[in-house]
Protein backbone atom coordinates (compact mmCIF):
# COMPACT_ATOMS: atom_id res chain seq x y z
CA UNK A 1 0.00 0.00 0.00
CA UNK A 2 1.52 3.32 -1.12
CA UNK A 3 0.00 6.28 0.67
CA UNK A 4 2.78 8.85 1.14
CA UNK A 5 2.19 12.00 -0.87
CA UNK A 6 -1.55 11.52 -1.29
CA UNK A 7 -4.07 14.14 -0.20
CA UNK A 8 -4.67 14.45 3.53
CA UNK A 9 -8.08 15.27 4.97
CA UNK A 10 -8.75 18.52 6.81
CA UNK A 11 -11.45 16.73 8.84
CA UNK A 12 -9.08 15.51 11.56
CA UNK A 13 -9.17 16.80 15.14
CA UNK A 14 -6.22 16.17 17.45
CA UNK A 15 -7.23 15.90 21.12
CA UNK A 16 -4.22 13.88 22.23
CA UNK A 17 -2.91 16.64 24.47
CA UNK A 18 -6.17 17.21 26.32
CA UNK A 19 -5.38 14.97 29.26
CA UNK A 20 -8.05 12.30 29.03
CA UNK A 21 -11.01 14.36 27.91
CA UNK A 22 -12.44 15.31 31.27
CA UNK A 23 -12.51 12.15 33.35
CA UNK A 24 -15.33 9.73 34.05
CA UNK A 25 -18.26 11.25 32.18
CA UNK A 26 -20.77 8.77 30.85
CA UNK A 27 -18.43 5.79 30.91
CA UNK A 28 -19.10 2.71 28.81
CA UNK A 29 -22.83 2.74 29.45
CA UNK A 30 -23.21 6.27 28.14
CA UNK A 31 -21.22 5.54 25.03
CA UNK A 32 -22.99 2.34 24.11
CA UNK A 33 -26.37 3.79 24.98
CA UNK A 34 -25.58 6.51 22.45
CA UNK A 35 -24.80 3.79 19.94
CA UNK A 36 -21.07 4.21 19.49
CA UNK A 37 -20.54 1.41 16.98
CA UNK A 38 -17.73 -0.44 15.33
CA UNK A 39 -14.72 -2.58 16.13
CA UNK A 40 -14.73 -1.08 19.61
CA UNK A 41 -17.26 -3.39 21.26
CA UNK A 42 -14.98 -6.32 20.58
CA UNK A 43 -11.92 -4.54 21.89
CA UNK A 44 -13.71 -3.55 25.10
CA UNK A 45 -14.32 -7.23 25.72
CA UNK A 46 -10.75 -8.23 24.96
CA UNK A 47 -9.11 -5.49 26.98
CA UNK A 48 -11.55 -5.98 29.85
CA UNK A 49 -10.68 -9.66 29.85
CA UNK A 50 -6.95 -9.01 29.90
CA UNK A 51 -7.10 -6.39 32.66
CA UNK A 52 -9.82 -7.73 34.93
CA UNK A 53 -9.72 -11.45 34.20
CA UNK A 54 -13.31 -11.45 32.96
CA UNK A 55 -14.32 -13.73 30.11
CA UNK A 56 -14.48 -11.51 26.98
CA UNK A 57 -17.74 -13.08 25.82
CA UNK A 58 -19.38 -12.23 29.15
CA UNK A 59 -18.48 -8.59 28.57
CA UNK A 60 -19.70 -8.74 24.97
CA UNK A 61 -23.02 -10.16 26.13
CA UNK A 62 -23.47 -7.36 28.64
CA UNK A 63 -22.48 -4.62 26.22
CA UNK A 64 -24.67 -5.80 23.37
CA UNK A 65 -27.83 -5.16 25.38
CA UNK A 66 -27.58 -1.38 25.06
CA UNK A 67 -30.53 0.56 26.37
CA UNK A 68 -28.63 3.05 28.51
CA UNK A 69 -29.61 6.69 28.12
CA UNK A 70 -27.49 8.81 25.86
CA UNK A 71 -25.32 11.32 27.62
CA UNK A 72 -24.47 14.31 25.45
CA UNK A 73 -20.98 15.59 26.14
CA UNK A 74 -19.43 18.32 24.04
CA UNK A 75 -15.76 19.04 23.48
CA UNK A 76 -14.48 22.30 24.96
CA UNK A 77 -12.27 24.59 22.93
CA UNK A 78 -11.48 24.80 19.21
CA UNK A 79 -10.48 21.74 17.22
CA UNK A 80 -6.75 21.37 16.56
CA UNK A 81 -5.08 19.76 13.55
CA UNK A 82 -2.37 17.13 14.14
CA UNK A 83 1.31 18.07 13.71
CA UNK A 84 2.53 18.03 10.13
CA UNK A 85 5.39 15.64 10.96
CA UNK A 86 3.25 13.03 12.76
CA UNK A 87 3.47 9.98 10.49
CA UNK A 88 0.65 8.00 12.10
CA UNK A 89 -1.66 11.01 11.97
CA UNK A 90 -0.69 11.60 8.33
CA UNK A 91 -1.58 7.99 7.56
CA UNK A 92 -5.09 8.15 9.02
CA UNK A 93 -5.61 11.60 7.47
CA UNK A 94 -4.66 10.20 4.07
CA UNK A 95 -6.95 7.18 4.38
CA UNK A 96 -9.80 9.40 5.57
CA UNK A 97 -9.26 11.72 2.60
CA UNK A 98 -9.60 8.84 0.18
CA UNK A 99 -12.80 7.63 1.85
CA UNK A 100 -14.12 11.16 1.31
CA UNK A 101 -13.26 11.04 -2.38
CA UNK A 102 -14.72 7.57 -2.88
CA UNK A 103 -17.98 8.12 -1.02
CA UNK A 104 -18.54 11.58 -2.49
CA UNK A 105 -18.31 10.00 -5.93
CA UNK A 106 -20.53 7.04 -5.05
CA UNK A 107 -23.25 9.23 -3.55
CA UNK A 108 -23.19 11.57 -6.55
CA UNK A 109 -23.63 8.60 -8.88
CA UNK A 110 -26.74 7.68 -6.91
CA UNK A 111 -28.08 11.22 -6.96
CA UNK A 112 -27.32 11.85 -3.30
CA UNK A 113 -25.01 14.03 -1.23
CA UNK A 114 -22.34 12.68 1.09
CA UNK A 115 -21.49 14.47 4.31
CA UNK A 116 -17.93 13.64 5.33
CA UNK A 117 -17.32 12.66 8.97
CA UNK A 118 -14.72 14.12 11.27
CA UNK A 119 -12.00 11.86 12.66
CA UNK A 120 -10.84 12.53 16.23
CA UNK A 121 -7.45 11.44 17.56
CA UNK A 122 -7.38 11.06 21.35
CA UNK A 123 -5.58 9.32 24.20
CA UNK A 124 -7.19 7.67 27.19
CA UNK A 125 -10.65 9.22 27.09
CA UNK A 126 -12.52 11.97 25.33
CA UNK A 127 -16.02 13.50 25.47
CA UNK A 128 -18.35 12.71 22.58
CA UNK A 129 -22.00 13.36 21.83
CA UNK A 130 -22.63 9.68 22.59
CA UNK A 131 -21.08 9.89 26.05
CA UNK A 132 -17.54 9.44 27.32
CA UNK A 133 -15.29 7.66 24.85
CA UNK A 134 -12.52 5.39 26.16
CA UNK A 135 -9.39 4.03 24.49
CA UNK A 136 -10.42 0.56 25.68
CA UNK A 137 -13.38 0.73 23.28
CA UNK A 138 -11.03 0.70 20.33
CA UNK A 139 -11.99 2.80 17.29
CA UNK A 140 -15.68 3.72 17.22
CA UNK A 141 -18.17 5.91 15.39
CA UNK A 142 -20.65 8.20 17.15
CA UNK A 143 -23.71 8.93 14.98
CA UNK A 144 -24.81 11.81 17.22
CA UNK A 145 -21.83 13.98 16.25
CA UNK A 146 -20.89 12.12 13.05
CA UNK A 147 -17.31 11.54 14.17
CA UNK A 148 -14.94 8.58 14.09
CA UNK A 149 -12.79 8.30 17.25
CA UNK A 150 -9.46 6.50 17.46
CA UNK A 151 -6.62 6.23 19.95
CA UNK A 152 -3.70 5.40 17.65
CA UNK A 153 -2.37 3.07 20.32
CA UNK A 154 -5.06 0.68 19.08
CA UNK A 155 -2.85 -0.19 16.15
CA UNK A 156 -0.39 -1.83 18.55
CA UNK A 157 -3.30 -3.82 19.97
CA UNK A 158 -4.34 -4.80 16.46
CA UNK A 159 -0.85 -6.02 15.66
CA UNK A 160 0.35 -7.54 18.92
CA UNK A 161 -2.84 -8.65 20.69
CA UNK A 162 -5.18 -9.45 17.82
CA UNK A 163 -2.53 -10.74 15.42
CA UNK A 164 -3.45 -8.45 12.53
CA UNK A 165 -0.37 -6.43 11.44
CA UNK A 166 0.02 -4.25 8.36
CA UNK A 167 -0.90 -0.79 7.18
CA UNK A 168 -3.83 -2.00 5.13
CA UNK A 169 -5.25 -3.77 8.18
CA UNK A 170 -5.10 -0.34 9.82
CA UNK A 171 -6.77 1.27 6.81
CA UNK A 172 -9.52 -1.38 6.94
CA UNK A 173 -10.33 -0.35 10.52
CA UNK A 174 -10.82 3.28 9.47
CA UNK A 175 -12.83 2.28 6.39
CA UNK A 176 -15.09 0.09 8.56
CA UNK A 177 -15.84 2.98 10.92
CA UNK A 178 -16.46 5.29 7.97
CA UNK A 179 -18.79 2.54 6.73
CA UNK A 180 -20.86 3.13 9.86
CA UNK A 181 -20.98 6.82 8.95
CA UNK A 182 -22.26 5.88 5.50
CA UNK A 183 -24.99 3.86 7.23
CA UNK A 184 -25.82 6.90 9.33
CA UNK A 185 -26.08 9.17 6.27
CA UNK A 186 -28.33 6.60 4.58
CA UNK A 187 -30.58 6.37 7.65
CA UNK A 188 -29.78 2.71 8.37
CA UNK A 189 -28.38 3.32 11.85
CA UNK A 190 -31.49 5.25 12.91
CA UNK A 191 -33.72 2.38 11.82
CA UNK A 192 -31.63 0.00 13.90
CA UNK A 193 -32.02 2.14 17.00
CA UNK A 194 -35.78 2.31 16.46
CA UNK A 195 -35.93 -1.48 16.53
CA UNK A 196 -33.94 -1.86 19.76
CA UNK A 197 -36.99 -1.92 22.06
CA UNK A 198 -39.24 -3.78 19.62
CA UNK A 199 -37.41 -7.07 19.27
CA UNK A 200 -35.85 -9.69 21.51
CA UNK A 201 -32.17 -9.62 22.41
CA UNK A 202 -31.49 -12.54 20.06
CA UNK A 203 -33.26 -10.76 17.21
CA UNK A 204 -31.40 -7.53 17.92
CA UNK A 205 -28.07 -9.40 17.98
CA UNK A 206 -28.91 -10.76 14.52
CA UNK A 207 -29.64 -7.24 13.28
CA UNK A 208 -26.40 -5.99 14.81
CA UNK A 209 -24.50 -8.67 12.89
CA UNK A 210 -26.06 -7.44 9.65
CA UNK A 211 -25.13 -3.85 10.49
CA UNK A 212 -21.50 -4.76 11.18
CA UNK A 213 -21.19 -6.98 8.11
CA UNK A 214 -22.57 -4.18 5.98
CA UNK A 215 -19.89 -1.85 7.36
CA UNK A 216 -17.32 -4.48 6.40
CA UNK A 217 -18.79 -4.58 2.91
CA UNK A 218 -18.68 -0.79 2.66
CA UNK A 219 -15.00 -1.00 3.65
CA UNK A 220 -14.54 -3.41 0.75
CA UNK A 221 -16.28 -1.01 -1.64
CA UNK A 222 -13.87 1.70 -0.55
CA UNK A 223 -10.89 -0.64 -1.07
CA UNK A 224 -12.05 -1.42 -4.62
CA UNK A 225 -12.12 2.25 -5.56
CA UNK A 226 -8.88 2.99 -3.66
CA UNK A 227 -6.79 0.51 -5.62
CA UNK A 228 -5.27 3.07 -7.96
CA UNK A 229 -4.68 5.82 -5.41
CA UNK A 230 -2.91 3.47 -2.99
CA UNK A 231 -1.43 0.97 -5.48
CA UNK A 232 -3.13 -1.80 -3.53
CA UNK A 233 -1.62 -5.25 -3.97
CA UNK A 234 -3.03 -8.73 -3.16
CA UNK A 235 -0.94 -8.77 0.03
CA UNK A 236 -2.73 -5.65 1.22
CA UNK A 237 -6.11 -7.28 0.80
CA UNK A 238 -4.78 -10.31 2.66
CA UNK A 239 -4.00 -7.99 5.61
CA UNK A 240 -7.59 -6.72 5.67
CA UNK A 241 -9.00 -10.25 5.36
CA UNK A 242 -6.79 -11.40 8.23
CA UNK A 243 -7.97 -8.50 10.40
CA UNK A 244 -11.59 -9.36 9.60
CA UNK A 245 -10.94 -12.98 10.61
CA UNK A 246 -9.25 -12.10 13.89
CA UNK A 247 -12.26 -10.09 15.11
CA UNK A 248 -14.96 -12.56 14.09
CA UNK A 249 -17.31 -13.52 16.94
CA UNK A 250 -16.50 -17.22 16.59
CA UNK A 251 -12.76 -16.55 16.73
CA UNK A 252 -13.24 -14.50 19.90
CA UNK A 253 -15.38 -17.19 21.50
CA UNK A 254 -12.80 -19.88 20.73
CA UNK A 255 -9.95 -17.71 22.03
CA UNK A 256 -11.88 -17.27 25.29
CA UNK A 257 -12.14 -21.04 25.67
CA UNK A 258 -15.88 -21.19 25.09
CA UNK A 259 -18.08 -23.02 22.64
CA UNK A 260 -19.19 -21.12 19.56
CA UNK A 261 -22.74 -19.81 20.10
CA UNK A 262 -24.03 -18.14 16.89
CA UNK A 263 -27.12 -16.76 18.69
CA UNK A 264 -24.83 -14.55 20.75
CA UNK A 265 -22.98 -13.07 17.75
CA UNK A 266 -23.14 -9.28 17.40
CA UNK A 267 -20.51 -8.71 14.70
CA UNK A 268 -20.50 -11.88 12.61
CA UNK A 269 -18.22 -14.86 12.25
CA UNK A 270 -14.73 -14.63 10.78
CA UNK A 271 -15.93 -16.20 7.54
CA UNK A 272 -18.89 -13.79 7.33
CA UNK A 273 -16.72 -10.72 7.93
CA UNK A 274 -14.28 -11.86 5.27
CA UNK A 275 -17.08 -12.73 2.86
CA UNK A 276 -18.77 -9.35 3.09
CA UNK A 277 -15.53 -7.37 2.85
CA UNK A 278 -14.75 -9.48 -0.22
CA UNK A 279 -18.23 -8.84 -1.68
CA UNK A 280 -17.63 -5.11 -1.49
CA UNK A 281 -14.09 -5.34 -2.82
CA UNK A 282 -14.95 -7.57 -5.77
CA UNK A 283 -17.97 -5.52 -6.85
CA UNK A 284 -17.09 -1.96 -5.84
CA UNK A 285 -20.86 -1.46 -5.64
CA UNK A 286 -22.83 -0.41 -2.57
CA UNK A 287 -25.75 -2.47 -3.90
CA UNK A 288 -23.70 -5.60 -3.17
CA UNK A 289 -23.85 -4.75 0.54
CA UNK A 290 -27.51 -5.44 1.33
CA UNK A 291 -26.89 -7.64 4.34
CA UNK A 292 -30.40 -6.98 5.62
CA UNK A 293 -31.97 -8.47 2.50
CA UNK A 294 -29.47 -11.26 1.98
CA UNK A 295 -30.65 -14.86 2.16
CA UNK A 296 -27.23 -15.94 3.41
CA UNK A 297 -24.78 -14.00 5.51
Amino acid sequence: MKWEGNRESDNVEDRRDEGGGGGGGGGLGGMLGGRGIGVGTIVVALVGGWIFGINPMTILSALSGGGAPTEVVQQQGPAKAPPANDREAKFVSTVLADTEDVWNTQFKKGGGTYRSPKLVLFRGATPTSCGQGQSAMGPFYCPADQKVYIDLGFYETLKNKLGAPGDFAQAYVIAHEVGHHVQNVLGISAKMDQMRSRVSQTEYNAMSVKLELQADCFAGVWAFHAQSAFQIQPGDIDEAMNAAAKIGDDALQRSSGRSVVPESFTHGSSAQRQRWFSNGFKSGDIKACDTFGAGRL
Side-chain angles (χ1 to χ4, degrees):
M1 168 181 187
K2 304 294 184 182
W3 60 270
E4 294 91 342
N6 288 7
R7 181 179 77 84
E8 297 177 40
S9 175
D10 294 326
N11 290 316
V12 178
E13 300 178 16
D14 192 351
R15 301 185 191 173
R16 291 174 292 177
D17 295 329
E18 293 185 7
L28 293 179
M31 170 57 62
L32 292 170
R35 192 55 187 168
I37 49 182
V39 176
T41 306
I42 292 174
V43 180
V44 171
L46 288 174
V47 175
W50 297 327
I51 296 174
F52 301 111
I54 302 172
N55 189 303
M57 296 316 301
T58 300
I59 302 173
L60 277 175
S61 178
L63 293 181
S64 65
T70 300
E71 177 175 336
V72 177
V73 184
Q74 298 296 338
Q75 179 195 11
Q76 300 297 317
K80 183 176 67 174
N85 62 349
D86 187 325
R87 182 175 173 81
E88 285 189 315
K90 287 175 72 70
F91 173 77
V92 297
S93 297
T94 302
V95 173
L96 182 66
D98 198 76
T99 67
E100 293 167 352
D101 295 340
V102 167
W103 289 113
N104 270 312
T105 299
Q106 295 308 302
F107 271 66
K108 285 180 180 177
K109 286 181 179 179
T113 301
Y114 179 66
R115 303 184 303 274
S116 299
K118 297 280 188 179
L119 186 148
V120 178
L121 305 177
F122 73 100
R123 288 191 182 100
T126 192
T128 84
S129 293
C130 295
Q132 187 80 350
Q134 306 281 349
S135 294
M137 296 173 178
F140 61 89
Y141 172 70
C142 174
D145 56 26
Q146 299 188 32
K147 294 180 180 181
V148 171
Y149 292 83
I150 182 170
D151 183 327
L152 293 177
F154 170 76
Y155 285 147
E156 288 300 312
T157 299
L158 187 68
K159 176 183 177 181
N160 298 322
K161 299 292 187 180
L162 299 180
D167 53 5
F168 203 75
Q170 297 175 1
Y172 156 72
V173 169
I174 297 171
H176 174 94
E177 300 307 333
V178 171
H180 283 307
H181 176 69
V182 173
Q183 291 171 323
N184 191 27
V185 175
L186 293 174
I188 297 170
S189 302
K191 291 180 181 178
M192 273 285 294
D193 279 344
Q194 291 170 4
M195 294 298 295
R196 184 186 296 270
S197 61
R198 303 178 186 175
V199 297
S200 69
Q201 186 61 57
T202 298
E203 291 171 321
Y204 189 79
N205 285 352
M207 292 173 63
S208 178
V209 166
K210 293 178 180 180
L211 191 77
E212 293 295 335
L213 294 180
Q214 186 176 66
D216 281 332
C217 188
F218 287 167
V221 171
W222 164 76
F224 173 87
H225 293 284
Q227 290 182 84
S228 176
F230 289 123
Q231 300 179 40
I232 294 173
Q233 303 296 320
D236 296 316
I237 300 303
D238 289 343
E239 291 177 0
M241 293 286 278
N242 176 55
K246 295 297 185 181
I247 56 178
D249 285 327
D250 54 340
L252 293 176
Q253 289 182 347
R254 291 191 186 98
S255 69
S256 70
R258 296 186 60 178
S259 300
V260 174
V261 183
E263 292 79 10
S264 68
F265 288 2
T266 57
H267 286 67
S269 69
S270 297
Q272 289 171 331
R273 300 201 71 162
Q274 289 180 316
R275 182 182 306 124
W276 282 97
F277 175 85
S278 182
N279 284 352
F281 179 69
K282 289 178 178 178
S283 68
D285 188 351
I286 194 171
K287 294 178 182 177
C289 299
D290 184 12
T291 55
F292 290 90
R296 171 176 175 265
L297 293 178

